[in-house]
Amino acid sequence: MYADDICMDYSDRNRKVKVSAWVKAKTPKKFLEYNRKIYPPQAIGEEPRPAFVCHQKTNLKYSPKKLWYVASFVRGMTVDEAVKQLSFVNKKGAVFIKEAILEAQEKAVMGHNVEYKSNLWIAESFANKGMVVKGIRRHARQRMGEVRYMYSHYFVRLEEGKPPKDYYKRNDLTPQEQLDAWMEQMRKRKITNSY
């Protein structure tokens, strides 16, 4: 039995839509809902909330493991710097990410009240696994092997303002202070079922 054999007709406002029983929606929906969130008004003297925009590119014909390296490369950069750096990255995923960042930048200016398009930085940048299409590869002696064609989703969140000095927030303690803190933590341990 093939997917074409198991099809149902649904009428949607006077038009027929053919939907396969095996086909599911393969695109994520929740990440873009952050764009529709409405925040309460801010109090006087409260630190202003920076504008942000979330954007995604779905079902890219590229492995998510390979896309992850490029996605984590641009985290914490300004948009202009990320586009400049991605122009020199010799990977197929760099093209996808560069397009997504430029689309998100345009979206921020047009629909999210961002005044200057160069005043944005990349707050989040990550890749997820998309659909996997399985195929067959012929081997010797009439044997078959499985081939997996990987797809991936890319997500980016741009935020207004200047990027932080250190995005990954490394430990501010000196090595000796780290050792002292660890020793103190070890001394405070409690052995279970003891006094």
Side-chain angles (χ1 to χ4, degrees), residues 4 47 56 76 82 92-93 107 135 153 164 167 177 179-180 187:
D4 297 333
E47 189 176 333
Q56 68 185 25
K92 181 179 164 186
K107 196 176 183 180
H153 307 309
Y167 179 79
E177 291 171 342
L179 178 64
D180 294 340
R187 288 189 183 109

Side-chain angles (χ1 to χ4, degrees), residues 62-73:
Y62 199 60
S63 168
K65 288 182 181 178
K66 294 178 189 174
L67 193 62
W68 178 84
Y69 288 104
V70 188
S72 58
F73 170 64

Side-chain angles (χ1 to χ4, degrees), residues 49-115:
R49 186 182 302 111
F52 70 91
V53 62
C54 296
H55 187 61
Q56 68 185 25
K57 279 185 87 74
T58 56
N59 289 327
L60 304 169
K61 180 65 188 80
Y62 199 60
S63 168
K65 288 182 181 178
K66 294 178 189 174
L67 193 62
W68 178 84
Y69 288 104
V70 188
S72 58
F73 170 64
V74 296
R75 275 184 215 142
M77 290 184 186
T78 62
V79 169
D80 296 337
E81 180 66 21
V83 169
K84 195 187 309 177
Q85 293 290 335
L86 288 171
S87 301
F88 296 102
V89 175
N90 192 16
K91 287 193 176 293
K92 181 179 164 186
V95 176
F96 295 138
I97 290 180
K98 184 178 170 184
E99 285 175 8
I101 289 171
L102 291 172
E103 286 172 13
Q105 184 184 32
E106 191 65 31
K107 196 176 183 180
V109 172
M110 298 302 278
H112 290 270
N113 298 327
V114 174
E115 193 171 355

Side-chain angles (χ1 to χ4, degrees), residues 15-183:
R15 69 179 183 143
K16 293 271 185 173
V17 179
K18 212 167 195 186
V19 178
S20 175
W22 293 352
V23 176
K24 294 180 185 173
K26 298 284 184 187
T27 56
K29 304 263 190 293
K30 288 189 177 181
F31 191 69
L32 294 179
E33 287 179 12
Y34 291 113
N35 288 335
R36 289 188 226 111
K37 185 172 181 180
I38 298 171
Y39 293 94
Q42 291 187 294
I44 297 169
E46 191 178 343
E47 189 176 333
R49 186 182 302 111
F52 70 91
V53 62
C54 296
H55 187 61
Q56 68 185 25
K57 279 185 87 74
T58 56
N59 289 327
L60 304 169
K61 180 65 188 80
Y62 199 60
S63 168
K65 288 182 181 178
K66 294 178 189 174
L67 193 62
W68 178 84
Y69 288 104
V70 188
S72 58
F73 170 64
V74 296
R75 275 184 215 142
M77 290 184 186
T78 62
V79 169
D80 296 337
E81 180 66 21
V83 169
K84 195 187 309 177
Q85 293 290 335
L86 288 171
S87 301
F88 296 102
V89 175
N90 192 16
K91 287 193 176 293
K92 181 179 164 186
V95 176
F96 295 138
I97 290 180
K98 184 178 170 184
E99 285 175 8
I101 289 171
L102 291 172
E103 286 172 13
Q105 184 184 32
E106 191 65 31
K107 196 176 183 180
V109 172
M110 298 302 278
H112 290 270
N113 298 327
V114 174
E115 193 171 355
Y116 303 109
K117 68 179 188 176
S118 59
N119 190 24
L120 290 166
W121 66 283
I122 299 167
E124 284 183 59
S125 171
F126 59 96
N128 261 351
K129 184 175 168 185
M131 65 180 180
V132 179
V133 177
K134 293 179 184 174
I136 294 173
R137 176 172 287 158
R138 291 171 182 240
H139 290 282
R141 301 187 182 183
Q142 298 180 356
R143 289 185 170 88
M144 297 291 179
E146 186 186 67
V147 170
R148 295 180 176 216
Y149 300 101
M150 306 289 287
Y151 288 79
S152 53
H153 307 309
Y154 174 67
F155 304 90
V156 64
R157 181 167 67 91
L158 303 182
E159 206 168 280
E160 196 175 24
K162 290 186 177 180
K165 187 178 176 185
D166 188 9
Y167 179 79
Y168 289 101
K169 296 188 180 86
R170 292 186 181 90
N171 202 336
D172 294 334
L173 301 175
T174 64
Q176 185 61 43
E177 291 171 342
Q178 290 180 38
L179 178 64
D180 294 340
W182 181 78
M183 288 297 291

